[in-house]
Amino acid sequence: MGLEQIRKVCVVGAGVMGSGITQVFAQAGYSVVMVDVAEEFIQKGMASIKANLERSVAKGRMSKEDAEAVLGRIKTTLNLEEAGKEADFVVEAVVERMDVKREVFSRLDKACESHVILASNTSTLSITEMASATQRPDRVAGMHFFNPAPVMKLVEVIAGAKTSRETISTVKALAEKLGKTPVEVKESPGFVVNRLLTLMLNEACFLLMEDVAKPEDIDTAMKLGCNHPMGPFELMDLVGLDIVLAIAETLYQETGDPKFRPSPLLRKMVRAGLLGRKTGQGFYVYGKK
């Protein structure tokens, strides 16, 4: 399927990533249907999109009319099959669980026209395994956006074992049309960014566990010593410690390499519900909004 044939996009998932991806497509002029399993998730996702657009208007990045036009291109539904039937391109952005993703891909495969590309926003899971739940493995690829999707320029475009060259070319061209910079990646646990990043974040936890330095000093060292915009503990608190742990566990399980073994401190904090900004406390304490 060529880029010129893509007009209507379906985004499955209205969470932080799903809503962000929906906004990106709508800002690029595409008609988008955002799907989720409950109206409360849809409403929360739409509220996030509206807040992002209002900030852009307030900062002079876009006009009020343009923001309204973006919202006008977004529809929502709880009916996955209905949305899939109308779509020219699909991006799945549901929870990072393979069983859930396989079910979504199986349902999309039945609902969508045979030529439609099914893409996953997974940060680390196997595209090949998701594709095996469909009858179109050559038209399944990874399209991994980074948080916040409307701001971050990178998109990892991942080829599974049976993904066709045409599919990868189309997804890369689509990413460029969205104003993103695609990098092509062959399937490997964690792809490029999370494979490298997880090692750093996990090692920061070991440094803290071994009482080498305090979180704020480790963060300062990485910001000033490596010119990183955020230190590892600030970043983990922003992303969510549960997500960092899940990625580390996937890398460890998939590779069997001890270098990916999650820090016991990271596991303990997740078990304690200290997940970062979203719970009000992680490596740092955050005031209530």
Side-chain angles (χ1 to χ4, degrees), residues 52-267:
N52 288 342
L53 293 173
E54 286 169 4
R55 273 195 298 272
S56 292
V57 171
K59 293 181 178 180
R61 293 173 184 158
M62 69 167 60
S63 67
K64 187 177 180 181
E65 292 73 22
D66 285 344
E68 289 173 352
V70 170
L71 287 172
R73 287 191 284 271
I74 302 171
K75 294 181 180 179
T76 63
T77 183
L78 302 178
N79 192 321
L80 178 68
E81 281 72 19
E82 185 180 278
K85 188 166 61 176
E86 299 292 323
D88 301 316
F89 187 88
V90 180
V91 180
E92 166 275 315
V94 302
V95 64
E96 283 285 271
R97 278 178 44 192
M98 183 57 76
D99 60 333
V100 177
K101 290 184 184 290
R102 281 180 60 86
E103 181 189 355
V104 168
F105 271 83
S106 178
R107 290 172 63 189
L108 287 168
D109 186 49
K110 294 179 178 70
C112 297
E113 294 287 341
S114 61
H115 63 274
V116 173
I117 293 171
L118 308 179
S120 175
N121 180 60
T122 182
S123 58
T124 190
L125 299 177
S126 170
I127 299 301
T128 301
E129 187 170 350
M130 291 177 217
S132 70
T134 76
Q135 299 299 311
R136 65 181 87 197
D138 58 317
R139 290 182 294 285
V140 176
M143 192 179 194
H144 180 211
F145 292 79
F146 289 78
N147 188 28
V151 176
M152 299 292 277
K153 288 292 187 183
L154 180 66
V155 172
E156 288 180 319
V157 178
I158 305 108
K162 295 184 178 180
T163 309
S164 71
R165 187 68 240 163
E166 181 186 6
T167 294
I168 291 299
S169 296
T170 299
V171 177
K172 286 175 70 177
L174 180 57
E176 288 172 349
K177 190 171 180 182
L178 297 176
K180 304 300 184 184
T181 300
V183 293
E184 186 175 337
V185 184
K186 294 176 183 176
E187 183 179 307
S188 178
F191 314 131
V192 171
V193 173
N194 278 320
R195 182 164 170 176
L196 291 170
L197 183 61
T198 301
L199 285 169
M200 183 189 75
L201 300 181
N202 198 40
E203 194 60 30
C205 292
F206 276 111
L207 282 171
L208 179 59
M209 192 174 76
E210 295 164 16
D211 198 29
V212 174
K214 296 176 181 178
E216 55 268 34
D217 289 330
I218 294 170
D219 279 347
T220 298
M222 291 305 294
K223 285 188 285 187
L224 301 184
C226 296
N227 204 27
H228 288 190
M230 299 180 77
F233 296 107
E234 292 171 323
L235 182 56
M236 282 188 277
D237 275 2
L238 178 64
V239 171
L241 273 66
D242 53 337
I243 294 173
V244 174
L245 177 59
I247 293 171
E249 287 181 326
T250 297
L251 283 163
Y252 185 42
Q253 290 163 8
E254 287 283 324
T255 65
D257 193 327
K259 71 184 179 186
F260 293 115
R261 178 175 66 89
S263 161
L265 174 61
L266 181 59
R267 288 190 189 280

